[in-house]
Amino acid sequence: MQTEMWTGLIGLGGAAIGAGGAVLGGWLQARSARVERAEGHRRDAAQAALNELLQLRHELMVHDRERPTDQNYGLTEPFQNFMHTGERRLMAMHASALLIPDPRLRERLERVYEIGNAWLLAPGLGAGAQLAWMQAASREGIEVLGAFLRGDPLPAEYEGFTYLRQQVAEEN
């Protein structure tokens, strides 16, 4: 009876250890999958924001090459429509950026959004200056998101963007 009892206890202990290992393995696998899903969502949100900024930058470059030199062009409906299309791209970038868990990156992209739309609140800016503000914002956002997606440290603001940010701060 003694041998049978020890054999049973050893078998029961082995089953308990096996079950515990299976539970632990399942928990670790679920945790790893959750982390991978979160990383995927983070990267997808950053990529979506980057795509909006790349498209905006392209549209700005094309528009800048083709825009008329007329002094009143900035007041025309086609120009205002173009700028509001850029504003919508910045809004889409901003919406995607809100899904990124990195607070430093979100803060930097918030500044990109503010500077990209500051032309709306700056009376007297000509068409060229309005385009320049949006170009500076898109460039800054592309550099920051590119570094983030590569896993590099976030770069320092480039001088042109810092200058525009200081102008906006002084006006407000």
Side-chain angles (χ1 to χ4, degrees):
M1 180 74 174
Q2 200 59 289
T3 305
E4 294 168 351
M5 189 169 101
W6 279 111
T7 304
L9 285 174
I10 290 172
L12 183 63
I17 290 172
V23 168
L24 180 62
W27 178 77
L28 288 173
Q29 190 174 23
R31 182 172 179 239
S32 175
R34 241 187 344 266
V35 168
E36 285 180 30
R37 272 195 314 274
E39 176 68 18
H41 292 312
R42 178 183 73 88
R43 291 190 70 74
D44 290 347
Q47 187 64 54
L50 180 62
N51 290 344
E52 289 294 339
L53 289 174
L54 288 170
Q55 187 63 36
L56 174 62
R57 179 108 171 148
H58 172 74
E59 290 167 358
L60 286 165
M61 290 170 64
V62 168
H63 185 83
D64 196 40
R65 280 194 311 262
E66 298 173 354
R67 77 179 159 102
T69 56
D70 177 18
Q71 293 289 3
N72 293 325
Y73 176 64
L75 304 174
T76 65
E77 187 175 344
F79 179 75
Q80 293 303 314
N81 289 341
F82 173 77
M83 292 301 285
H84 287 293
T85 298
E87 179 188 16
R88 285 189 291 278
R89 288 211 179 277
L90 285 167
M91 288 170 71
M93 177 278 304
H94 189 248
S96 293
L98 292 174
L99 301 174
I100 300 170
D102 185 325
R104 290 180 317 129
L105 179 61
R106 279 196 321 270
E107 180 184 320
R108 294 283 298 272
L109 293 174
E110 180 69 30
R111 286 189 227 149
V112 166
Y113 179 71
E114 288 172 3
I115 297 304
N117 287 316
W119 63 272
L120 290 165
L121 305 173
L125 280 182
Q130 291 176 355
L131 289 168
W133 283 42
M134 205 175 271
Q135 286 172 336
S138 64
R139 175 183 169 189
E140 176 72 9
I142 289 167
E143 289 180 9
V144 169
L145 283 163
F148 176 74
L149 287 169
R150 287 189 307 271
D152 295 344
L154 298 182
E157 284 183 357
Y158 81 95
E159 287 180 36
F161 186 78
T162 302
Y163 174 75
L164 290 176
R165 198 166 54 77
Q166 289 169 347
Q167 279 189 308
V168 169
E170 288 172 8
E171 289 178 15
N172 293 331

